[in-house]
Amino acid sequence: MAAMYIDIKNDILEKINSGIYEEGNVIPTELELADFYKVSRPTIRQAVQLLVDDGYLEKRKKRGTIVCKRKIEQEFTQKISSFETEMSEKGLVTDTNVISLKVEYPSDDVCSALSIESSEKVYKLVRLRYIDKKPNVLVTTYIPYELFPELKSVDFKKNRLYDYFSSQGNPVSRIKRKLETIKADETVSDLLDIAIGEPVFYFHSYGYGNGGRIIEYSISKYRGDMNYFVFDLYR
Amino acid sequence: MAAMYIDIKNDILEKINSGIYEEGNVIPTELELADFYKVSRPTIRQAVQLLVDDGYLEKRKKRGTIVCKRKIEQEFTQKISSFETEMSEKGLVTDTNVISLKVEYPSDDVCSALSIESSEKVYKLVRLRYIDKKPNVLVTTYIPYELFPELKSVDFKKNRLYDYFSSQGNPVSRIKRKLETIKADETVSDLLDIAIGEPVFYFHSYGYGNGGRIIEYSISKYRGDMNYFVFDLYR
């Protein structure tokens, strides 16, 4: 037989999942829950702690225990789509902060990723992307300059990079990605608003355009606490 | 112009990638490198630190600085294949430690994952899987008992679960996966031989057999420092 606090945990979880306890709102206090379930406060504390550990609840110093925003399903690993398109299909509001867009000579890594010489200039576009006002992913993108000489004048706060590629007659038709997981360093922590050492999804992506040429090399760091990725595989 | 230590870092990296400095072997000492590149030891230290940060080198107290084992490419998110089959195609040696295999009544989570009632028993199979003698992934698998009444007698140290399903006329033809990233807790740290708090790939998988029924629900925890996952997407 399961311990009492497991039953209580399951009951609270059901109330979260059914929306009785709403996202972002406080749940009843420990004392109220102890009265309701007719158990001691330590039992309630155990049940609540399990839900905190599982990411369903969060303890806030002044407000009490609140229901967490659930993680966002990302199909980044499943299909080729722009970030805004995918998120707006899910009913989420996105925003993009263009941290920098400049033209520079590529490092060895970027040369090798884009198959170019170190004398060929590239755009370096750094974007911080938000979902429902929270920073979600930091993306650094390298693009060969000679392929898109007019790109410098595009406002990527309003325009989607993949739409721009398409408008130039050179759409991305294939993407290879590599996924690692790393700990947030100080900069990532500051930009994504998570603690140093928290896990982050770390992608390297290669976008192929006309003639199978790599027209985009991107490094994306997704918050681990806000996202999950889905896969659907057939034999 | 790049700083001197960046050039040295790139030169050492090339020697690692080309195999001049071999996996598992020590590289020359700080003093030897300083002599060779005709720079100060702090400059060498900076270059080496970058490679340590990037996971190419590791400092060992007694031996010196060694070249790390590179991460293993996993196609777990890309195709349906057994762990041993995929790894042996890459020339890697695998081993499986069956930590437990028992029959039990399912928790609410397992009921919901397998779409069964709490009165229907399940197998719980816990396996720790090694690559080249290092623990790589911890997998807990739930399987409806009634579908495979003879499964209890299978030795999963030697037999592959997917081969067994096929041999029973009920192969997995589709898999849905969900990927999160979490920090290793004490148990995961002990089993996977990584520090507490290190990032771990955390998968939930649902395997579909005959008639679209879910015949397998698995939770897999892959070491973050040893693995990366690849995707190849087409529009």
Side-chain angles (χ1 to χ4, degrees), chain A residues 71 77 172-181 183 198-199 228-235, chain B residues 71 77 172-181 183 198-199 228-235:
Chain A
K71 287 185 180 183
T77 49
V172 170
S173 55
R174 178 188 185 185
I175 300 179
K176 280 194 188 185
R177 301 196 202 281
K178 174 183 171 181
L179 171 61
E180 296 170 274
T181 177
K183 289 176 169 183
E198 285 299 304
Y228 67 89
F229 294 85
V230 291
F231 313 94
D232 201 351
L233 310 172
Y234 291 85
R235 175 121 64 178
Chain B
K71 288 185 178 182
T77 49
V172 170
S173 55
R174 179 187 184 184
I175 300 179
K176 280 194 188 185
R177 301 198 202 280
K178 173 183 170 180
L179 171 60
E180 296 171 274
T181 177
K183 289 177 171 182
E198 285 299 305
Y228 66 91
F229 294 85
V230 291
F231 312 95
D232 200 352
L233 311 172
Y234 291 84
R235 175 119 67 176

Side-chain angles (χ1 to χ4, degrees), chain A residues 131-143:
Chain A
I131 295 180
D132 290 345
K133 311 266 177 207
K134 279 181 162 172
N136 184 274
V137 55
L138 178 66
V139 191
T140 301
T141 305
Y142 298 93
I143 302 149

Side-chain angles (χ1 to χ4, degrees), chain B residues 39-172:
Chain B
V39 296
S40 68
R41 289 178 67 174
T43 301
I44 294 297
R45 217 166 290 146
Q46 272 185 294
V48 167
Q49 191 55 49
L50 287 179
L51 292 162
V52 169
D53 292 346
D54 285 344
Y56 290 101
L57 296 175
E58 196 182 327
K59 288 182 180 166
R60 292 280 176 85
K61 277 201 177 136
K62 291 188 181 162
R63 290 187 60 197
T65 302
I66 65 159
V67 180
C68 291
K69 178 97 191 131
R70 257 154 294 167
K71 288 185 178 182
I72 296 157
E73 178 174 305
Q74 301 282 359
E75 294 170 271
F76 188 68
T77 49
Q78 182 76 6
K79 62 182 189 187
I80 298 178
S81 178
S82 81
F83 181 77
E84 292 96 337
T85 307
E86 192 190 323
M87 292 306 110
S88 74
E89 281 169 9
K90 297 192 197 322
L92 298 167
V93 177
T94 58
D95 196 10
T96 298
N97 179 357
V98 177
I99 293 178
S100 69
L101 171 57
K102 53 184 183 171
V103 177
E104 62 179 33
Y105 287 102
S107 67
D108 289 355
D109 280 1
V110 173
C111 283
S112 138
L114 291 172
S115 296
I116 58 174
E117 299 297 321
S118 57
S119 59
E120 298 176 63
K121 285 187 285 188
V122 295
Y123 293 102
K124 180 179 183 179
L125 170 61
V126 182
R127 291 174 293 174
L128 181 57
R129 318 195 78 169
Y130 299 78
I131 295 180
D132 290 345
K133 310 266 175 205
K134 278 180 162 172
N136 184 273
V137 56
L138 178 65
V139 190
T140 301
T141 306
Y142 298 94
I143 302 149
Y145 177 84
E146 57 128 0
L147 292 181
F148 303 97
E150 306 302 324
L151 186 143
K152 185 88 172 120
S153 62
V154 179
D155 177 2
F156 287 106
K157 188 168 175 61
K158 296 193 186 118
N159 293 278
R160 300 166 184 183
L161 181 61
Y162 280 20
D163 286 352
Y164 181 72
F165 287 154
S166 295
S167 77
Q168 300 300 299
N170 199 348
V172 170

Side-chain angles (χ1 to χ4, degrees), chain A residues 143-162:
Chain A
I143 302 149
Y145 176 84
E146 56 128 2
L147 292 181
F148 303 96
E150 306 301 323
L151 185 143
K152 186 87 169 119
S153 62
V154 178
D155 177 2
F156 286 106
K157 189 168 175 59
K158 296 190 187 120
N159 293 277
R160 299 165 185 184
L161 181 62
Y162 280 20

